[in-house]
Amino acid sequence: MKPIPATSAALRVTAPARLHLGFLDLNGEIGRRYGSIGIAIDRPSTDLTITPSTENSATGPESRRVLKLLRKYTDDGKSGAYAVDIADAIPAHAGLGSGTQLALAVGAAIARLQSRDLSPADLASLGERGARSGIGLEAFASGGFIIDGGKGKTDRPPPLTLRTDFPKDWRVMLILDPNFSGVSGEAETTAFSGLPPFPERQAAHICHLVLMKLVPGLKELDIEAFGSAITEIQEIVGGHFASKQGGSPWTSRAVGEIASRMRDMGATGIGQSSWGPTGFAFVDSQKAAERLYHSLGEDAKRDGLEILIIHGRNTGASIETLRNS
């Protein structure tokens, strides 16, 4: 058996889900590819406790994935072994960044217990995350609204271009469909490789929308400017990915229908996070969010969907010590 590390502290880590709101440039004609837009949200979240142990073990949702991560993080033979109890986990393959947040939560806790100074990018590299987007890394590190600078010539995760607080009064309507899963892993790699070329004029237009409409709208609390930019970006990017989603920009047509009804009722910034099936819409207040929820909640349930009223999260993951011996 591997020795128990000198410290026997138990750490609790809570890591936020994130929404991926779209890409800037899928081809990278000027030297950088992808470039992502996203926000950290207050729920769902991954909540786990990790304790030094004599052997690696995991209980709770996503325990198999956690065991794989433990093997990756401790295969040097010097990092000890750990017991992980997962109280809650972001739904997998739902477009909410579950894999990245799980990998960072486990890696950050082990680094803390080992008194090692590792950045989220270092942890992502160990956990094989951040291949295309840096949104999940920054959501873990600091939360908020995030834009990354895309992949350059190295294998490092994309650099942070912009991070700002998400308005505290705005709400996100999250539309979940447990009956569908977004593509991931090898299937995602294959899907990306099979996409047609992304027109340079569309990439230029998205960048123009981000710089001159989306970000100013966010800064000036103009949800119509922010939201209309998000909707247009989603239409462009979603249309490009439609060939890999059965000809639709929505993985779940039921989610798309509810999102469209939200738009008709005054919501803005309509779209799908990553490969879905999770959809989203933005409103400017809790009151507006509750109105949509009460109007559409029962219809969503009949379609097997769940609607959540979500806040943006302007802080990153939390790591707290539960006990020492």
Side-chain angles (χ1 to χ4, degrees):
M1 291 185 181
K2 294 180 180 178
I4 300 176
T7 176
S8 58
L11 297 181
R12 179 184 178 187
V13 186
T14 304
R18 61 93 179 109
L19 295 180
H20 192 286
L21 305 179
F23 288 109
L24 302 179
D25 185 350
L26 289 164
N27 278 0
E29 291 293 330
I30 60 174
R32 304 198 70 85
R33 192 176 184 190
Y34 305 120
S36 295
I37 311 161
I39 59 170
I41 53 177
D42 67 334
R43 62 189 179 110
S45 62
T46 288
D47 184 350
L48 60 83
T49 302
I50 182 167
T51 309
S53 182
T54 55
E55 60 182 7
N56 288 331
S57 64
T59 58
E62 299 293 338
S63 55
R64 289 186 179 180
R65 293 175 84 181
V66 168
L67 281 173
K68 290 181 180 179
L69 288 166
L70 287 173
R71 286 193 287 270
K72 286 181 180 178
Y73 287 131
T74 62
D75 67 358
D76 60 2
K78 302 176 183 179
S79 298
Y82 302 89
V84 181
D85 177 43
I86 307 102
D88 202 2
I90 299 164
H93 313 310
L96 296 170
S98 63
T100 296
Q101 297 308 306
L102 196 64
L104 293 175
V106 173
I110 291 174
R112 175 77 62 88
L113 290 168
Q114 291 290 325
S115 299
R116 299 168 64 191
D117 185 16
L118 297 178
S119 70
D122 295 329
L123 295 170
S125 179
L126 286 172
E128 299 178 1
R129 312 305 302 184
R132 298 179 187 87
S133 170
I135 299 301
L137 311 189
E138 296 300 335
F140 186 89
S142 62
F145 175 86
I146 305 153
I147 300 175
D148 75 48
K151 294 285 287 186
K153 297 179 181 179
T154 73
D155 289 332
R156 297 289 288 176
L160 176 66
T161 297
L162 179 145
R163 185 269 171 208
T164 190
D165 280 357
F166 189 76
K168 65 178 182 178
D169 291 333
W170 291 6
R171 297 290 181 267
V172 187
M173 307 300 297
L174 217 59
I175 313 165
L176 305 173
D177 188 343
N179 303 302
F180 284 85
S181 294
V183 298
S184 61
E186 298 268 342
E188 183 179 24
T189 300
T190 300
F192 267 100
S193 65
L195 287 171
F198 193 71
E200 185 177 355
R201 60 179 175 77
Q202 289 191 339
H205 183 54
I206 289 174
C207 291
H208 191 195
L209 285 171
V210 168
L211 187 61
M212 298 303 291
K213 192 172 187 181
L214 189 156
V215 174
L218 187 70
K219 295 279 191 177
E220 294 182 342
L221 304 183
D222 181 348
I223 196 168
E224 289 306 319
F226 170 85
S228 62
I230 290 292
T231 298
E232 188 171 354
I233 291 166
Q234 281 281 314
E235 288 171 348
I236 294 169
V237 177
H240 189 74
F241 279 85
S243 63
K244 302 299 178 181
Q245 297 181 152
S248 170
W250 301 94
T251 295
S252 165
R253 292 182 185 272
V255 167
E257 289 171 4
I258 291 292
S260 179
R261 291 176 65 185
M262 287 183 176
R263 184 179 186 177
D264 292 342
M265 296 175 66
T268 189
I270 309 299
Q272 173 180 283
S273 181
S274 189
W275 290 99
T278 301
F280 56 79
F282 295 86
V283 292
D284 62 0
S285 68
Q286 180 71 19
K287 182 178 180 180
E290 291 175 355
R291 180 175 63 86
L292 288 179
Y293 180 85
H294 292 306
S295 298
L296 299 173
E298 290 303 316
D299 290 349
K301 287 180 183 178
R302 281 195 291 271
D303 289 335
L305 310 179
E306 181 181 9
I307 297 175
L308 300 178
I309 298 174
I310 301 298
H311 298 242
R313 176 171 168 138
N314 291 322
T315 57
S318 65
I319 304 177
E320 68 176 301
T321 302
L322 298 182
R323 65 177 182 272
N324 287 290
S325 65

